[in-house]
Amino acid sequence: KAGVTQTPRYLIKTRGQQVTLSCSPISGHRSVSWYQQTPGQGLQFLFEYFSETQRNKGNFPGRFSGRQFSNSRSEMNVSTLELGDSALYLCASSVNTDTQYFGPGTRLTVL
Amino acid sequence: QKEVEQNSGPLSVPEGAIASLNCTYSDRGSQSFFWYRQYSGKSPELIMSIYSNGDKEDGRFTAQLNKASQYVSLLIRDSQPSDSATYLCAVRGRGNNRLAFGKGNQVVVIP
């Protein structure tokens, strides 16, 4: 079974721009969670989508948003990028509330 | 108080020795506990999941859970250079699918 895929793998943007990241979960998995990883803060939960609905949300500003499509693929969007948004963005999928499997991540650099 | 704490600094162990990692969590109602391994520049990879008190063994890895004391540990027996990585403790909150992560412990296995 194919694993979680994320595109693009690397992104370079400038402050003020917006970015969209994509995640395709493992086949049959309906839950997609997004995490941000930075050296200082570690792994932090952004939000989770299940059956096209946001089920949980972490403590991030409204500039961070997401959505999920009927095929369970998910996108997250960050608007008005700040330097501090530079991070590894990880997507994880699970069947429901069980083990989460991570994708390779998208490395975002904001200049 | 942080949700999940991994306080130990980098751990250096000789090849063939046992590496011991500890993690404490604050939410007494947490039900699911995970250990992920993350190689430098890669995404987290699930090693172990544990849900009930006691020990769970999988190959050279043993996870131990003590809900009364709110800690979970990971033992790596017969450590190999390929075990050199950062190990992340993750706890799933009560009633949701959000994983809270510790900052991780770096393990270096010295040949």
Side-chain angles (χ1 to χ4, degrees), chain A residues 32-80:
Chain A
V32 173
S33 298
W34 289 89
Y35 295 85
Q36 180 197 66
Q37 187 174 34
T38 58
Q41 299 299 316
L43 265 159
Q44 293 185 287
F45 173 78
L46 281 155
F47 29 66
E48 182 214 6
Y49 286 86
F50 181 82
S51 292
E52 301 180 65
T53 301
Q54 187 180 84
R55 190 160 66 171
N56 291 294
K57 189 178 188 307
N59 296 322
F60 279 81
R63 301 184 297 108
F64 292 82
S65 62
R67 59 178 176 168
Q68 187 180 34
F69 303 95
S70 58
N71 61 357
S72 294
R73 189 177 70 86
S74 177
E75 290 181 346
M76 68 162 282
N77 184 276
V78 188
S79 62
T80 319

Side-chain angles (χ1 to χ4, degrees), chain A residues 31 45 48 50 54-57 96-98 100, chain B residues 3 27-34 91-100:
Chain A
S31 169
F45 173 78
E48 182 214 6
F50 181 82
Q54 187 180 84
R55 190 160 66 171
N56 291 294
K57 189 178 188 307
N96 191 350
T97 54
D98 56 350
Q100 294 183 25
Chain B
E3 286 188 84
D27 183 357
R28 186 170 287 278
S30 298
Q31 297 294 322
S32 306
F33 308 87
F34 307 88
V91 178
R92 186 163 64 223
R94 204 178 339 193
N96 63 63
N97 203 26
R98 178 180 74 90
L99 289 179

Side-chain angles (χ1 to χ4, degrees), chain B residues 9-30:
Chain B
L11 180 65
S12 292
V13 295
E15 185 174 354
I18 296 175
S20 177
L21 305 172
N22 296 310
C23 167
T24 58
Y25 59 95
S26 60
D27 183 357
R28 186 170 287 278
S30 298

